[in-house]
């Protein structure tokens, strides 16, 4: 009899153990789905912000490239910066050949000669959105500037950056470049010390 009791106890115990391992409870399934939903929601919310940040990083690098091109311009033009004589602007779709823009539109000449590819028909200086950059050159600090993301880089002669604001500089060869970022704020870079 002792044997049958222990055999019966083992059978009952193994049945209870098998029931416990038989599957998930509804609470466990709901909990796993809720956690997966939260992770998906966090990724869904963070992805556009991450993409904007990547585009803004590329835009900062493009403005830095333009600053390097201005340094090259200065080396080729006896230290003079573009726009030092008169303001000019270059917008997408404009013919940037010398016969169309003339010698005085230094904004188009800077983009054409220093920022675009060797192939004159291909514009290599484009925003991460796929639109060509525009360049507007102002003589001295101005209240004109970025209103929104319009792919325009603003250059101010005899100016320097003070945070995200442009102010007058003493040296006529100083300049500031200002660009409105997609995420928030503006990016300002200057050659002034």
């Amino acid at each position: 009899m002792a044997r049958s009791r222990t055999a019966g106890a083992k059978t009952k115990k193994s049945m209870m153990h098998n029931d416990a391992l038989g599957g998930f409870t509804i609470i466990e399934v709901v909990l796993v789905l809720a956690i997966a939903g939260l992770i998906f929601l966090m990724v869904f919310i963070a992805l556009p912000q991450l993409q904007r940040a990547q585009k803004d990083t590329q835009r900062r690098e493009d403005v830095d490239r333009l600053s390097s091109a201005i340094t090259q311009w200065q080396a080729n033009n006896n230290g003079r910066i573009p726009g030092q004589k008169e303001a000019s602007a270059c917008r997408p779709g404009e013919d940037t050949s010398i016969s169309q823009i003339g010698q005085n539109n230094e904004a188009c000449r800077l983009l054409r000669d220093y920022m675009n590819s060797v192939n004159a028909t291909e514009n290599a200086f484009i925003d991460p959105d796929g639109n060509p950059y525009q360049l507007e050159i102002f003589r001295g600090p101005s209240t004109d500037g970025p209103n929104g993301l319009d792919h325009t880089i603003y250059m101010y002669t005899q100016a320097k950056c003070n945070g995200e604001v442009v102010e007058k500089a003493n040296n006529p060869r100083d300049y500031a470049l200002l660009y409105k970022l997609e995420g928030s704020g503006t990016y300002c870079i200057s050659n002034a010390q």
Side-chain angles (χ1 to χ4, degrees), residues 97-157:
S97 65
I98 289 292
S99 62
Q100 292 296 318
I101 63 170
Q103 291 288 351
N104 293 333
N105 191 331
E106 293 182 337
C108 284
R109 287 181 49 219
L110 176 66
L111 290 181
R112 184 200 63 226
D113 297 343
Y114 291 87
M115 300 308 297
N116 290 333
S117 66
V118 176
N119 181 354
T121 60
E122 181 183 326
N123 187 343
F125 192 52
I126 56 174
D127 184 81
D129 289 340
N131 299 307
Y133 284 108
Q134 301 179 64
L135 177 62
E136 291 202 29
I137 302 175
F138 296 96
R139 293 193 64 211
S142 171
T143 57
D144 293 332
N147 295 324
L149 187 64
D150 61 356
H151 311 294
T152 302
I153 300 171
Y154 296 89
M155 179 179 172
Y156 304 93
T157 61

Side-chain angles (χ1 to χ4, degrees), residues 177-191:
L177 298 172
L178 194 66
Y179 190 82
K180 172 78 174 142
L181 299 174
E182 186 176 352
S184 65
T186 55
Y187 180 61
C188 190
I189 185 172
S190 175
N191 70 334

Side-chain angles (χ1 to χ4, degrees), residues 4 11 30 57 62 68 101 131 147 150 169 188:
S4 66
T11 306
V30 168
T57 299
D62 288 344
S68 296
I101 63 170
N131 299 307
N147 295 324
D150 61 356
C188 190

